[in-house]
Amino acid sequence: MNPLRQGLLKERIPDAQVMIIFGGSGDLAKRKLLPALYTLARERLLPATFAIMGVARNEYENEDVYRNEMRQGCDTFARRRPVDDALWSGFARTMYYQSQEFDDPAAYKRLKARLEEIDKELGIPAHRLYYFATPPSTFPMIVEHLMGSKLVSRAYEPWTRTRVIVEKPFGRDLESAQALNRKLKQAFRESQIYRIDHYLGKETVQNMLAFRFGNGIFEPLWNQRHVEQVQITAAESVGVEGRGGYFEEAGILRDMVQNHLFQILCLTAMEPPVSLDSDSVRDEKVKLLRSLRPIVPERVDESVVRAQYAAGHVLGRHVPGYRQEPGVAPGSVRETYVALRLMIDNWRWGSVPFYLRTAKRMPKKVTDISIRFRDAPHLLFGAGDHRGQVPNVLTVRVQPDEGISLHFGSKIPGPAMELAPVNMEFRYGTSFGKEPPEAYERLILDAMLGESTLFIRDDETEASWQFITQVLQAWEAQGKREIPVYPAGAWGPEEADAMLAGAGHAWRQP
């Protein structure tokens, strides 16, 4: 049964298996993957027989040193802290490590022999889950050597013996994404490939499915007759955090919009699936992405605004501009802010603009979805001067303070008929009395179970890249040597405000 359907009624435990983490000594492993696995163990959601094999270039004196380093990561980043010594002892006992170069064929032969030893020792029937937590440039060589050493199999079996989780970024444009898909499919069937986007593991993102399709009150209003506009914001107060070189290559359009924001857009705007099985949900997401109105290259600036942060103040401290960050070219025009006006050419949303924005060095860290409903057709309050009109806005907060609020007008106590804005609030923490699982906990568990609903399919990846590549090519054709700037600590450039003002709209400030 699909975990989304069964909810909290019944927990499933995965079959015995080994997770092989390429990049097993890296930052992602220490901050996210091992803490997530430890928390799953603490909540008794891992199989009784389970092992972890870290694979990376780093050399350790022995496996105990590796285990201690991962323990430090769990001490700092695990959701369930402090780490329980007795539980960790058993958890770490089946944690292994192999140092190797990713392009060394002999190393994969050693890896195969080591995994066979672990299988025999623990009684695991060669069930393997690979995790690619390495730079994307290494993905093709890892796949090639896994095939060459016969560590993968495309054969169908009741339990797919090999699965792979692939981290983002999945390509840098349509052509590279298609090439990576072809390479992966040489070694794996599509059903064995789990392209991960951690935003889909967030409870509030998943709750959009429950909110829309599990309640009869809002879905009848979820269309162009009742919705005036939709805004999706993913703001970060931090800068590039020492990743200037990476950001010079990627930019925020690739880093955030192609994956995270488009995933939120899909769940917000897609049609109801026929069921909650993985293909039905992902079919609707692909349809939505294919319904995005194409960008006209010569008019790209009318629908997309890019900008870059300059020096300013964030959370009370002075911070440098993007061009002063280490690894950034002095004359860089790489965007750290992007805002898009999207139109969806289908019957549900034909006239509704969807405004997406994401940026570094904004006033605070926040991700939310804001649905602005149309005003009442006739103003009874405020003598027709709009003072009595309170906008109806439904806001889904993805992070922080996860929850949902509804903004509407209510009469102020007293003899006059005056309206004032009020909010109805739902918060996860107070309503359920516990913090939601961390995104990687849910996604890793789903992959171990063979549940792919919250992972991205090949045609979905290519559909999102097809749209984003239009924008990238239009920018390249412009050849601009300067782009708008916004001071760090501001909500963006004037050009983004002007894009909305042209339609009589304004950005909602979280």
Side-chain angles (χ1 to χ4, degrees), residues 165-449:
I165 301 175
V166 185
E167 269 288 344
K168 78 172 190 77
F170 195 90
R172 54 177 288 105
D173 54 21
L174 177 59
E175 183 179 359
S176 59
Q178 290 173 329
L180 183 51
N181 275 332
R182 288 193 297 270
K183 173 55 70 173
L184 286 167
K185 288 181 182 180
Q186 291 177 10
F188 304 94
R189 288 178 287 108
E190 176 59 32
S191 61
Q192 296 172 276
I193 303 169
Y194 294 74
R195 300 169 190 83
I196 193 169
D197 183 334
H198 74 270
Y199 264 54
L200 289 176
K202 292 180 180 293
E203 284 288 328
T204 38
V205 174
Q206 297 169 44
N207 194 42
M208 184 59 80
L209 288 173
F211 182 78
R212 289 187 58 193
F213 307 133
N215 299 287
I217 185 171
F218 288 109
E219 186 60 24
L221 308 178
W222 218 259
N223 55 63
Q224 62 181 331
R225 284 176 293 177
H226 302 285
V227 175
E228 177 187 290
Q229 57 167 296
V230 179
Q231 295 186 20
I232 300 174
T233 296
E236 294 185 312
S237 58
V238 299
V240 294
E241 295 188 293
R243 299 191 306 154
Y246 163 77
F247 223 79
E248 280 289 271
E249 289 292 320
I252 207 158
L253 183 70
R254 289 186 176 99
D255 191 55
M256 288 291 292
V257 179
Q258 183 272 330
N259 39 72
H260 302 330
L261 264 66
F262 270 14
Q263 289 301 314
I264 295 175
L265 171 68
C266 285
L267 296 182
T268 303
M270 73 184 199
E271 294 298 314
V274 296
S275 73
L276 285 176
D277 68 88
S278 58
D279 277 337
S280 295
V281 172
R282 296 189 293 182
D283 284 347
E284 297 304 331
K285 290 163 69 179
V286 172
K287 288 180 188 176
L288 189 283
L289 290 169
R290 289 175 176 169
S291 299
L292 292 176
R293 185 176 298 172
I295 295 290
V296 178
E298 295 77 19
R299 300 171 62 184
V300 65
D301 290 342
E302 298 176 13
S303 301
V304 185
V305 173
R306 54 174 164 162
Q308 188 182 95
Y309 67 82
H313 289 81
V314 178
L315 302 177
R317 66 185 182 90
H318 179 78
V319 295
Y322 175 70
R323 291 182 177 182
Q324 287 76 55
E325 299 278 12
V328 174
S332 173
V333 293
R334 182 57 67 204
E335 80 286 355
T336 63
Y337 174 104
V338 67
L340 303 93
R341 180 179 61 207
L342 304 178
M343 301 300 295
I344 299 172
D345 288 333
N346 63 19
W347 280 54
R348 180 183 291 265
W349 298 115
S351 63
V352 179
F354 282 72
Y355 299 111
L356 278 61
R357 63 173 170 173
T358 182
K360 299 285 188 181
R361 291 298 189 205
M362 298 197 92
K364 62 180 179 178
K365 179 181 177 67
V366 61
T367 300
D368 66 19
I369 308 154
S370 175
I371 296 93
R372 164 76 183 255
F373 293 95
R374 297 192 184 279
D375 292 338
H378 176 62
L379 298 179
L380 292 175
F381 309 100
D385 59 6
H386 292 275
R387 287 181 299 172
Q389 189 72 43
V390 176
N392 298 151
V393 181
L394 179 71
T395 302
V396 179
R397 292 187 302 277
V398 176
Q399 62 180 3
D401 301 325
E402 295 89 344
I404 300 172
S405 67
L406 180 63
H407 185 86
F408 60 97
S410 181
K411 181 185 176 299
I412 300 173
M417 182 58 74
E418 295 181 77
L419 299 187
V422 296
N423 284 324
M424 292 179 64
E425 292 274 352
F426 151 71
R427 292 195 178 191
Y428 265 89
T430 55
S431 296
F432 296 111
K434 62 178 183 179
E435 60 178 331
E438 206 275 338
Y440 277 94
E441 295 169 27
R442 173 63 189 271
L443 294 173
I444 290 174
L445 181 61
D446 275 7
M448 295 173 71
L449 289 165

